[in-house]
Amino acid sequence: MALVGIARLASQGELLEAKREVEYFELPSRSILNRTKPNMPFRWTINPYRGCEFGCKYCYARYTHEFMEMAPEEFEDKIYAKTAGAQLLRQELGRTDRRDWIAVGTATDPYQPAERRFGRTRAILEVFARERGRHLSLTTKSDLVARDVDLLREIARANVLAVNLTITTLDEKLARALEPRAPRPELRLQAVRRLSAAGICVGVFPNPVMPGLTDSDTALDRLARTAREAGAMVFGGGALFLQPAAQKVMLPFLAREYPELEKRYRELFAGNAYLGRAYKDRLAVRVGRIRERYGLAAGMIEYRPELWPGEEQGELFPLE
Ligand code: SF4
């Protein structure tokens, strides 16, 4: 069968590097800014990489490799770095409203191991460092984000910036099982401390909250308290959803590691990628109470840092 669209582009990608079983490729791109559906909290998304080496069992983005005619497992082994992202971004920003939120890292992690070598996320942030009045959020599971603290500070001087660290659990053993190659939760907390000490608005997101694994009141409360102590201002809390591509990895994982949960998950997600309204509503109430307890906000906030000693804070672009 002839490959078309993204599958064809992926098949033509030049091999950048092969390490262990992971291979890195260039992915020629026509565009870097993707418009979201109207009900999303952000208007645009940017994902500098396709595929993610962290290999979280529940990862919803595995389906994106299916578009390239690959198996969901190859999502962690074949990583595509988008070409010319920064150059495209400079061209494409002109068609966006400065008040629109732009979210980096909605489908794949922008600070996965590939970023150490290829720096595609950093190149994109360098574009934003020259912007004014933008609304930018960035989500990651990696402490590598702290490498860019100076650049992020520069962005936050003249734009609204939110950096979110995803921490699903503080239990190291559970985190290792669920997110085998992602940095340990403690390393992610260190990044929260470093960024918040630099005056950057940081959130901690326990998403996806997983029934029977990470959704107890005790675990969520401890996570929120620890996040607050590390300097986080925002605490998320969205429930797990499992599309068919993610189910192909998550359900066999549960069968091996948590057999008592596998049957329950099969029932919960039979014919539907989403958990029921009742569970989601109860979770929202519980997380809301926990947020209140620790003075944490629910989502993106228009946080403008205090002036740093001896520095002028850039003015936000006047909004017409
Ligand atoms: S870090 Fe995010 S994108 Fe990467 S595997 Fe985990 S859930 Fe997927």
Side-chain angles (χ1 to χ4, degrees), residues 52-56 58-62 75 107-109 141 179 182:
C52 181
E53 204 172 327
F54 287 158
C56 306
Y58 50 75
C59 178
Y60 90 94
R62 290 178 186 278
F75 179 82
T108 57
D109 201 300
K141 280 196 179 92
E179 303 154 353

Side-chain angles (χ1 to χ4, degrees), residues 181-247:
R181 286 176 294 281
R184 287 181 287 116
E186 177 49 35
L187 292 175
R188 298 180 223 174
L189 281 167
Q190 281 176 22
V192 174
R193 287 185 203 107
R194 189 128 176 248
L195 295 168
S196 96
I200 292 162
C201 176
V202 193
V204 165
F205 278 64
N207 309 22
V209 178
M210 289 166 264
L213 287 169
T214 63
D215 70 341
S216 75
D217 261 349
T218 315
L220 289 169
D221 181 277
R222 185 170 158 240
L223 186 49
R225 178 167 41 83
T226 310
R228 177 73 264 192
E229 286 165 4
M233 301 172 79
V234 174
F235 190 70
L240 175 68
F241 67 99
L242 277 183
Q243 287 177 329
Q247 289 190 23

Side-chain angles (χ1 to χ4, degrees), residues 217-291:
D217 261 349
T218 315
L220 289 169
D221 181 277
R222 185 170 158 240
L223 186 49
R225 178 167 41 83
T226 310
R228 177 73 264 192
E229 286 165 4
M233 301 172 79
V234 174
F235 190 70
L240 175 68
F241 67 99
L242 277 183
Q243 287 177 329
Q247 289 190 23
K248 282 183 203 160
V249 175
M250 183 72 174
L251 295 177
F253 160 77
L254 289 175
R256 276 192 316 274
E257 304 290 333
Y258 301 92
E260 69 286 1
L261 284 178
E262 188 223 352
K263 186 165 171 285
R264 184 85 186 99
Y265 269 60
R266 282 196 188 279
E267 287 162 5
L268 284 171
F269 293 102
N272 192 349
Y274 296 90
L275 289 165
R277 173 54 49 203
Y279 177 87
K280 289 200 279 196
D281 287 349
R282 276 199 309 275
L283 178 65
V285 170
R286 292 199 294 128
V287 171
R289 276 197 212 112
I290 291 171
R291 269 191 212 112

Side-chain angles (χ1 to χ4, degrees), residues 117 131-132 208 253 264 299 310:
R117 300 293 304 273
E131 288 289 317
R132 296 166 73 79
F253 160 77
R264 184 85 186 99

